[in-house]
Amino acid sequence: MSDSLANLGEALQRTFAGCVLERACGEITLTVSAEELLQAMRKLRDEPALRFEQLMDLAAVDYLHYGLDEWAAEESTAMGFSRGVESRTTGRLKFGDRAEEIRPLPHPRFAVVYHLLSLRYNRRLRVKVYAPDNDMPVVASVIGVWESADWFEREAFDLYGVLFEGHPDLRRILTDYGFIGHPFRKDFPLIGNVEMRYDPEKKRVIYQPVTIEPRVLVPKVVRHDNRYMRKGWKPQPPEAPKTDAATPKTDAPKPAGAK
């Protein structure tokens, strides 16, 4: 661990007694509760030992079916990954279907992650807060701390449906005005809810329920790597071309007149 990272960890422990710190990939993640979010963010910005003046990014996370996939990527055959015959997640949801929780989560389903930068100390920090209510995830807006959170929070609301209490203009920013649902949620159908086409009779663009069948794209990959092949398989060097040792080599006949 670098000295800068160690100093940051000590400063966080002094400022936030009993806080949850995670260290991975050369960065520190601070987890705070939704009730203490605004107070913690102001301390991170104003404390002399911290001084995180800039909010670089904000994103939401949906932990529904976290860590699951549609096919067995670790146990593969010599012909590539096994096919995703039976649905294991929500990839095959149709319009109107509702996802079921496959396994209980140790924490709430939705979280918001903030990436902060300290210009004075040239270091970064990740802050994570969980929204307590899975049905209506709500956390406080940090626009009053960093104005750059404006469009970031609108994006998280648009794509994940996370509400930011105190935001002055919380509306969609990427999807259409009449868009149904939040497309980055894990229970959002991969095929979408509606499709758009031009109706020659009405002479305008109309929306209608999707007409394609939901499916999951499963890659069929063959790699010459023992991590993806059957147990005990090892790559073999290419064989040398075979020659008939019993047939003596003779010189080709010379044309007439050649010396």
Side-chain angles (χ1 to χ4, degrees):
M1 183 186 300
S2 64
D3 294 339
S4 176
L5 202 64
N7 294 336
L8 175 58
E10 294 175 359
L12 291 172
Q13 289 177 347
R14 289 194 304 267
T15 306
F16 305 97
C19 63
V20 179
L21 296 181
E22 301 176 19
R23 295 175 174 87
C25 302
E27 292 186 0
I28 294 180
T29 301
L30 169 67
T31 303
V32 300
S33 65
E35 296 77 11
E36 301 174 348
L37 176 62
L38 286 180
Q39 181 182 1
M41 291 305 198
R42 292 191 181 98
K43 287 184 178 181
L44 290 171
R45 183 194 62 182
D46 300 335
E47 284 291 329
L50 300 173
R51 299 295 293 173
F52 287 97
E53 303 97 339
Q54 289 191 5
L55 170 67
M56 304 303 298
D57 193 13
L58 180 157
V61 183
D62 183 1
Y63 285 99
L64 182 68
H65 304 169
Y66 178 74
L68 298 179
D69 52 25
E70 282 285 346
W71 61 88
E74 296 179 354
E75 300 177 359
S76 59
T77 66
M79 298 301 295
F81 291 149
S82 60
R83 310 301 291 180
V85 178
E86 296 182 0
S87 177
R88 298 170 57 188
T89 61
T90 57
R92 292 178 173 85
L93 281 179
K94 298 181 180 180
F95 179 74
D97 291 349
R98 182 176 177 84
E100 296 181 0
E101 187 173 343
I102 296 178
R103 57 182 177 178
L105 294 172
H107 49 68
R109 172 182 171 181
F110 294 98
V112 180
V113 180
Y114 306 82
H115 295 269
L116 309 181
L117 172 65
S118 172
L119 298 176
R120 172 171 297 184
Y121 299 108
N122 190 24
R123 57 195 183 193
R124 297 176 183 269
L125 176 67
R126 183 185 299 109
V127 181
K128 181 165 58 176
V129 57
Y130 291 101
D133 191 346
N134 291 341
D135 295 329
M136 184 176 291
V138 180
V139 297
S141 173
V142 296
I143 286 185
V145 185
W146 298 286
E147 292 185 358
S148 60
D150 187 358
W151 283 16
F152 292 149
E153 292 181 348
R154 286 181 58 187
E155 181 184 31
F157 161 70
D158 190 0
L159 301 180
Y160 288 92
V162 177
L163 302 173
F164 293 89
E165 187 177 6
H167 192 288
D169 186 24
L170 192 61
R171 54 191 171 94
R172 294 186 182 272
I173 191 173
L174 295 177
T175 58
D176 197 2
Y177 294 107
F179 193 87
I180 301 174
H182 304 281
F184 277 16
R185 286 191 174 189
K186 298 300 182 182
D187 53 1
F188 187 85
L190 293 180
I191 61 173
N193 291 325
V194 295
E195 63 185 18
M196 180 177 61
R197 69 175 180 87
Y198 177 77
D199 191 327
E201 296 181 357
K202 297 181 179 180
K203 296 183 178 182
R204 63 180 178 87
V205 174
I206 64 171
Y207 289 92
Q208 65 184 25
V210 290
T211 57
I212 60 176
E213 287 295 323
R215 61 191 179 98
V216 176
L217 299 179
V218 182
K220 184 178 181 181
V221 182
V222 178
R223 298 190 177 105
H224 295 292
D225 190 323
N226 57 3
R227 293 175 300 174
Y228 304 101
M229 294 297 178
R230 61 183 179 272
K231 187 176 182 181
W233 182 90
K234 293 183 179 179
Q236 301 295 329
E239 296 182 358
K242 296 181 179 180
T243 58
D244 190 353
T247 304
K249 296 182 179 180
T250 58
D251 296 333
K254 297 181 179 180
K259 295 181 180 181

